[in-house]
Amino acid sequence: MTLDKIRIKFFNILFFLLITPIAFSQSLLETKVDTTSIKIGESIQYSIKTITEKNSKIIFPEGKTIGQLEVLESYPIDTIKKDNLYELIKRYEITQFDEGSYSIPQLPVIIDSKLFKTDSININVQNVVVDTLKTPLYDIKNISAVGAAPSKAWYYLAFIILSILIGFAIYFYIKKRQDKNLSEDDKYSTPFEKAVTKLQALEQKKDWTRGNAKPYYSDMTDIARAFIEDTFGISARELTTFETITILKNTLQDKKIKIDPKVIKEFKLVLDTADLVKFAKSQPSENDITADTTNTQRIINEINNAYPISAATQTERIRLREERKRKRRRMRIGIPLAISGCLILLTGVFYLINLSSEKNVSFFTFNNSKRLLNTEWITSTYGDGIGITISTPEVLERKNDQILKDVQIEGVEDIQQFKAGELGESIYIVLNTINLGQDFKYSDEEVINYSLQILTKNQDIIDVQSVNENFENANGLKGIKTKGSFVYKTTNTKFEFESVLTHQSKTNFNQVWIFSKADDKYADEISERLFDSMLYKTDN
């Protein structure tokens, strides 16, 4: 091979390597706008389309501006499967609020870590001319001094908080009254707590220092006898010392309670000393009084440790006391809760009544379609390009089912679906916006039948019937209207549907479907109102 041929071959290879990425990048990305000339503030639908393999990673540009144009909305990426490839479409809604000529610059798109750029597009923004001869002009008004009224919702929230505070106030008031009127038994949780508390208070008085130990011994032994009576149900305060000790020993033996006999013997000596002080006017020494107090405390501690009070061992007196305690607790909690709950419930009722009067809708009806008919409807524009504008009881949400991609008919480039509700509910609304390709060759009737099959696919329905007729609404929008019905086989419930198919252009048409139960008397009014609201922006 000669040197000249080698050079020619080398330059051919070099030229091929340089030109291939350029050509590939141009064919890989496709940019499109619905218009290149707008008035100030009007929106432009700008889209970037690329075809890639399944596992490719694509990063589209994001930001609040595209060049000198402002991004109003950045829509989620639409994915369409074509054979073994995937078509990804990223859409933006952009605008400009100043007159002039602008350019959508080349934007970077990263595909599998490789950088590609879109084509630039020139945009002309025109000023809005105001005819002052035909349009009356008015003086600018001064700023209103009144200001906006506060939201009424704050009033309801404040009353709910006030209702809760009223409940707390009633709780503490009842508790205070209950604590004030408590009997001596009700003031303590257990006989042990009662005995220890009263014994400590008695010991701090030290009445024996006045030379008379009789009141001290009388109160001390009464505390011990009351503890035994509350614990075992023995009438110890009415028994003699001998009877008390004898019955106490028998009770401990019957209940198999083990207490040191020395402690019982010391307690008997305390009772004997108390008898001498009360009846023989004996006067023990201060050391003897202190020792007797300690022994009394010891017998109480020993019995409490060996035989603690429980649900199984409580006496009738303790059981009645616990029942009174539970009753007091139920009263001081139940009454505030009931009052606060009623106040909050009344607040909610007044809120619903006021809200229903403002929106001309009754919340005290179980008919969902009636509420939808009487509520304030929302007017929105759906779809790409010009878009179709309709009024609906609820905003239609974009929900593209996977089945639309799996069974897409030949010649359809893109389907966008917007819904409110579900099939089988009282009212189910569906809007399909369909973009067509050059290969599309189906009639409107075939499209209607195909769409109905898609909407009811995987549903257990029978007896499907439908009829088509010409349609024209109050806005002059023309198309084909379909009426029909079917039956849910599992529930044997009959449903009716209406549909309107209109052509936005040769390559785009829209379908609006409304499904309802056959016996719903408000469904026809909803359908008529919805279909009459349909129009394209250019129809204004």
Side-chain angles (χ1 to χ4, degrees):
M1 184 180 294
T2 63
L3 183 60
D4 291 337
K5 291 183 178 180
I6 294 175
R7 288 177 179 175
I8 293 172
K9 189 172 183 179
F10 172 75
F11 283 116
N12 288 338
I13 295 173
L14 181 61
F15 176 77
F16 177 78
L17 293 175
L18 291 174
I19 201 66
T20 298
I22 298 175
F24 181 71
S25 65
Q26 295 300 320
S27 62
L28 195 63
L29 294 177
E30 178 184 340
T31 56
K32 184 172 65 174
V33 293
D34 61 341
T35 181
T36 58
S37 179
I38 61 171
K39 293 181 180 180
I40 290 177
E42 287 185 341
S43 62
I44 301 171
Q45 299 295 328
Y46 174 62
S47 63
I48 303 173
K49 181 169 69 174
T50 181
I51 299 176
T52 62
E53 296 179 351
K54 179 179 180 180
N55 297 323
S56 295
K57 295 183 179 180
I58 297 92
I59 301 178
F60 289 98
E62 292 289 353
K64 296 182 179 180
T65 59
I66 295 179
Q68 294 179 295
L69 299 169
E70 183 176 337
V71 177
L72 299 177
E73 186 76 27
S74 177
Y75 296 101
I77 300 172
D78 290 332
T79 304
I80 300 173
K81 184 178 180 182
K82 289 189 174 181
D83 298 329
N84 295 327
L85 298 177
Y86 285 82
E87 182 181 282
L88 278 69
I89 303 174
K90 176 66 175 177
R91 293 182 174 87
Y92 307 86
E93 186 176 352
I94 58 178
T95 190
Q96 174 56 252
F97 296 97
D98 293 323
E99 181 185 6
S101 296
Y102 300 91
S103 174
I104 299 176
Q106 291 182 323
L107 299 179
V109 179
I110 300 175
I111 303 175
D112 292 333
S113 302
K114 295 181 182 180
L115 178 63
F116 301 91
K117 290 189 175 181
T118 63
D119 296 330
S120 61
I121 303 175
N122 294 324
I123 302 296
N124 183 33
V125 181
Q126 302 174 3
N127 194 9
V128 179
V129 179
V130 179
D131 189 349
T132 57
L133 297 178
K134 295 182 179 180
T135 305
L137 301 178
Y138 304 94
D139 294 334
I140 300 175
K141 294 183 179 180
N142 294 328
I143 298 175
S144 173
V146 178
S151 172
K152 293 182 180 179
W154 286 104
Y155 302 148
Y156 300 108
L157 180 61
F159 198 79
I160 289 175
I161 296 175
L162 180 61
S163 302
I164 297 173
L165 294 178
I166 290 174
F168 276 109
I170 294 174
Y171 170 84
F172 287 112
Y173 173 76
I174 295 176
K175 188 175 186 302
K176 184 177 180 180
R177 290 291 301 270
Q178 288 177 341
D179 293 343
K180 183 179 179 181
N181 298 324
L182 287 177
S183 64
E184 184 176 338
D185 284 345
D186 293 332
K187 292 179 180 179
Y188 306 100
S189 300
T190 62
F192 177 75
E193 179 186 343
K194 174 183 173 181
V196 170
T197 302
K198 297 186 73 172
L199 195 61
Q200 289 175 349
L202 178 65
E203 189 177 3
Q204 290 174 0
K205 289 182 181 180
K206 294 185 178 180
D207 287 347
W208 68 81
T209 56
R210 301 172 188 171
N212 185 11
K214 180 178 178 180
Y216 183 83
Y217 270 89
S218 179
D219 291 341
M220 182 176 64
T221 54
D222 283 346
I223 292 171
R225 289 173 180 272
F227 171 74
I228 295 172
E229 183 174 322
D230 291 342
T231 304
F232 299 114
I234 302 172
S235 301
R237 283 178 287 192
E238 301 174 1
L239 301 176
T240 63
T241 298
F242 175 77
E243 292 172 336
T244 300
I245 296 300
T246 302
I247 295 176
L248 177 61
K249 287 181 178 180
N250 293 335
T251 302
L252 294 175
Q253 185 176 0
D254 293 340
K255 296 182 178 295
K256 299 180 180 180
I257 302 172
K258 295 182 180 180
I259 294 179
D260 188 354
K262 182 180 178 181
V263 175
I264 299 176
K265 184 178 180 181
E266 291 173 347
F267 178 60
K268 181 179 181 303
L269 293 175
V270 172
L271 296 179
D272 290 338
T273 303
D275 291 339
L276 292 174
V277 171
K278 288 188 288 184
F279 301 114
K281 297 183 180 181
S282 174
Q283 186 63 36
S285 65
E286 185 172 346
N287 291 335
D288 292 338
I289 295 174
T290 303
D292 289 343
T293 303
T294 302
N295 292 333
T296 302
Q297 179 67 62
R298 185 178 300 160
I299 186 65
I300 293 173
N301 291 338
E302 289 289 333
I303 292 176
N304 180 71
N305 293 333
Y307 190 70
I309 298 299
S310 64
T313 61
Q314 64 183 4
T315 61
E316 181 66 15
R317 185 173 179 176
I318 296 176
R319 188 189 66 79
L320 294 175
R321 185 195 66 198
E322 292 300 316
E323 180 61 30
R324 292 194 300 272
K325 183 190 296 184
R326 287 191 292 268
K327 186 177 180 180
R328 292 194 302 271
R329 187 185 298 114
R330 288 194 299 267
M331 181 178 294
R332 67 171 176 262
I333 293 177
I335 293 177
L337 282 178
I339 294 176
S340 295
C342 289
L343 292 175
I344 293 173
L345 181 62
L346 287 175
T347 304
V349 170
F350 281 114
Y351 173 76
L352 292 178
I353 292 174
N354 291 333
L355 186 64
S356 63
S357 62
E358 291 174 2
K359 293 191 174 184
N360 191 29
V361 55
S362 176
F363 284 90
F364 303 99
T365 176
F366 294 99
N367 194 312
N368 184 52
S369 59
K370 183 179 180 181
R371 290 202 300 267
L372 292 176
L373 179 63
N374 293 330
T375 191
E376 183 178 354
W377 283 34
I378 301 164
T379 302
S380 299
T381 302
Y382 303 89
D384 296 332
I386 297 175
I388 185 170
T389 301
I390 58 174
S391 297
T392 55
E394 299 176 354
V395 174
L396 305 182
E397 299 181 4
R398 184 195 295 264
K399 294 181 180 179
N400 288 346
D401 291 337
Q402 182 63 34
I403 190 173
L404 293 176
K405 301 176 182 179
D406 296 339
V407 298
Q408 187 166 300
I409 61 177
E410 183 180 357
V412 173
E413 289 190 349
D414 179 44
I415 300 178
Q416 296 184 44
Q417 196 170 74
F418 304 87
K419 298 180 181 180
E422 295 292 340
L423 187 62
E425 295 181 359
S426 57
I427 297 294
Y428 175 46
I429 302 174
V430 180
L431 166 62
N432 293 327
T433 64
I434 304 173
N435 295 322
L436 307 177
Q438 297 179 353
D439 299 334
F440 187 79
K441 54 185 178 180
Y442 297 94
S443 65
D444 291 346
E445 289 76 9
E446 291 175 322
V447 172
I448 293 171
N449 293 332
Y450 166 77
S451 299
L452 181 60
Q453 292 174 7
I454 294 299
L455 290 172
T456 59
K457 189 175 179 61
N458 300 327
Q459 302 291 338
D460 192 11
I461 64 173
I462 57 175
D463 297 338
V464 180
Q465 300 177 6
S466 64
V467 60
N468 298 330
E469 61 184 35
N470 292 329
F471 168 81
E472 182 176 1
N473 67 3
N475 297 316
L477 191 69
K478 298 180 180 180
I480 298 178
K481 188 173 187 179
T482 304
K483 291 185 177 181
S485 63
F486 59 82
V487 176
Y488 261 110
K489 187 176 180 181
T490 52
T491 60
N492 198 29
T493 305
K494 186 177 181 180
F495 281 81
E496 294 179 347
F497 61 86
E498 291 188 45
S499 169
V500 169
L501 183 146
T502 61
H503 287 267
Q504 182 174 350
S505 64
K506 292 182 179 180
T507 60
N508 177 272
F509 61 82
N510 298 279
Q511 288 179 292
V512 179
W513 294 83
I514 300 180
F515 297 84
S516 62
K517 291 184 178 180
D519 56 352
D520 194 333
K521 60 182 180 179
Y522 301 101
D524 290 340
E525 296 182 59
I526 293 176
S527 300
E528 182 178 358
R529 180 176 174 182
L530 189 148
F531 291 142
D532 280 344
S533 70
M534 294 171 55
L535 74 153
Y536 296 114
K537 289 183 179 179
T538 53
D539 292 336
N540 288 329

